[in-house]
Amino acid sequence: MKKAMVNQTECVACGVCKKVCPRQAITIFHGIYAEVNEDLCVGCRKCEKACPASVIQVVQKEVKA
Amino acid sequence: MKKWNEYLWIFSALYLTLGFFNILFAWIGMICFITPLLLSIIGKGKLYCNSYCGRGQLFELLGDRLKLSSNRNIPAFLRSKWFRYGFLVFFMTMFGLMIFSTYLVFNGSNNLKEVVTLLWTIQLPWNWTNTSSVSPWIAQFAFGFYSVMLTSTILGLLTMIFFKPRSWCVYCPMGTMTQGISMLKYKKEINKIR
C-alpha cells in the first residue's frame, strides 16, 4: 500500500496538505507538523505535489497483517 | 459550498490596493500580525496559516488556478531552519528599525518621510495622500508598515512563480514565529511522541 510520509522535523505546518487531501487524512499537530492517518490515506500524492516545503513523500508501506 | 474564510484572499488583495489610494489603510494590516500570534499563544497552533491567511490563499489562487506557478520544488536552503530563523531575525530587525524611525518622528527628531521602501532598498515617492489629518508618526508608521507588507508580497510572488504557489509559507516570519510559539507551548506533547 502506498502512504504519505511527512518529514516532521522539516515540516512548516502550513496546512496546504490538509487542505488538498481528499480523504481528510491529514491533521496539523498543534501547529507544529502535519500528521497522516495511514488508515485513511490512499497514497494519491496530492499532498506530495502541493507541499511547498517538499517534505512529503508517498512511499510503499507493508500491509498490516 | 465554500466557507466565508475561503474568500479572505479578497481582503488581502483589497488591502494592497487600498494602500495605493491612502497610505493610512496600511494600519489595517496589523490584523495579519496580531491575529496569528494571539491564536498561537492561546494554543490554537497555526490556525491562522491553516485557515485564515488571505495572502496564502492569494498565492494559491494565482499559482494554482491562474497557473502562474512553475510548481518546482523549493531549494533545500530556503526551507532549512537556518534560513527560516535567519530571515525571521532579519525581518524583525528591519521591523524594529521601522518602529524606531516612527519614534524619531513621534519625538520630533525627524520629519515625516513620505516614501514606501521596497525590498529594504528601493525608495518610492508616495506623496499623493494627504496625511495632515493625523499625527505625523501615525502616517510614518503607515509608510513603514506598508513597505513591509509590499516587500513581503513581492518576495512571496517571486517564490510563487519560481517554486510552488505557497512557497512564501515556508519562510514567512509570522509562520516561523507561530510554529516556534506552538513548539514551546507543546514541548511536552512532542517529547512524549518522539
Side-chain angles (χ1 to χ4, degrees):
Chain A
M1 287 285 277
K2 288 194 166 165
K3 303 284 175 192
M5 283 260 293
V6 182
N7 177 345
Q8 292 176 337
T9 50
E10 290 198 12
C11 175
V12 297
C14 64
V16 170
C17 51
K18 183 185 167 183
K19 217 168 163 183
V20 296
C21 178
R23 300 269 296 156
Q24 284 85 47
I26 303 180
T27 46
I28 307 296
F29 179 81
H30 293 304
I32 304 165
Y33 51 73
E35 261 181 337
V36 180
N37 179 340
E38 289 190 1
D39 294 332
L40 293 174
C41 178
V42 289
C44 70
R45 293 188 182 269
K46 279 199 171 189
C47 55
E48 186 189 57
K49 278 183 198 146
C51 175
S54 308
V55 294
I56 304 181
Q57 270 192 314
V58 174
V59 293
Q60 192 72 38
K61 286 239 171 168
E62 279 176 35
V63 186
K64 284 177 200 164
Chain B
M1 210 176 115
K2 276 195 172 187
K3 280 188 250 159
W4 68 270
N5 59 327
E6 289 174 71
Y7 293 99
L8 284 168
W9 61 271
I10 299 171
F11 172 77
S12 278
L14 194 65
Y15 172 76
L16 292 169
T17 318
L18 286 175
F20 278 85
F21 295 102
N22 191 325
I23 195 70
L24 296 175
F25 281 116
W27 275 86
I28 299 172
M30 287 298 284
I31 298 170
C32 315
F33 263 57
I34 295 165
T35 320
L37 290 176
L38 281 181
L39 285 173
S40 64
I41 289 166
I42 63 166
K44 299 283 180 195
K46 288 185 72 168
L47 180 64
Y48 183 84
C49 306
N50 301 163
S51 307
Y52 302 106
C53 179
R55 176 179 297 199
Q57 290 175 10
L58 192 62
F59 290 148
E60 249 167 42
L61 183 88
L62 296 171
D64 278 335
R65 288 219 221 129
L66 301 183
K67 301 195 187 308
L68 294 176
S69 173
S70 67
N71 272 305
R72 275 183 293 220
N73 286 345
I74 197 163
F77 85 92
L78 281 180
R79 63 179 158 91
S80 68
K81 289 226 163 27
W82 278 103
F83 182 79
R84 290 181 64 214
Y85 284 102
F87 187 69
L88 170 65
V89 169
F90 170 72
F91 196 87
M92 292 317 285
T93 308
M94 298 317 266
F95 193 80
L97 289 174
M98 185 273 280
I99 299 286
F100 185 62
S101 58
T102 304
Y103 171 73
L104 291 179
V105 172
F106 173 76
N107 76 2
S109 308
N110 281 357
N111 289 326
L112 171 67
K113 224 173 151 192
E114 291 184 305
V115 290
V116 163
T117 313
L118 283 188
L119 301 166
W120 304 282
T121 45
I122 309 155
Q123 298 207 328
L124 305 173
W126 211 271
N127 47 10
W128 54 82
T129 306
N130 183 6
T131 54
S132 57
S133 58
V134 294
S135 299
W137 73 270
I138 293 179
Q140 189 60 68
F141 179 82
F143 282 110
F145 197 68
Y146 194 66
S147 303
V148 169
M149 295 302 263
L150 214 52
T151 296
S152 50
T153 305
I154 290 170
L155 291 177
L157 284 172
L158 287 174
T159 45
M160 178 273 289
I161 293 167
F162 290 123
F163 312 115
K164 288 184 184 173
R166 281 185 73 153
S167 292
W168 166 252
C169 303
V170 176
Y171 62 99
C172 167
M174 294 312 297
T176 308
M177 267 197 278
T178 51
Q179 192 184 24
I181 292 169
S182 305
M183 277 175 172
L184 291 174
K185 219 173 155 66
Y186 294 100
K187 223 181 209 169
K188 279 184 198 159
E189 276 86 343
I190 312 174
N191 288 341
K192 251 183 242 167
I193 296 166
R194 286 181 181 162

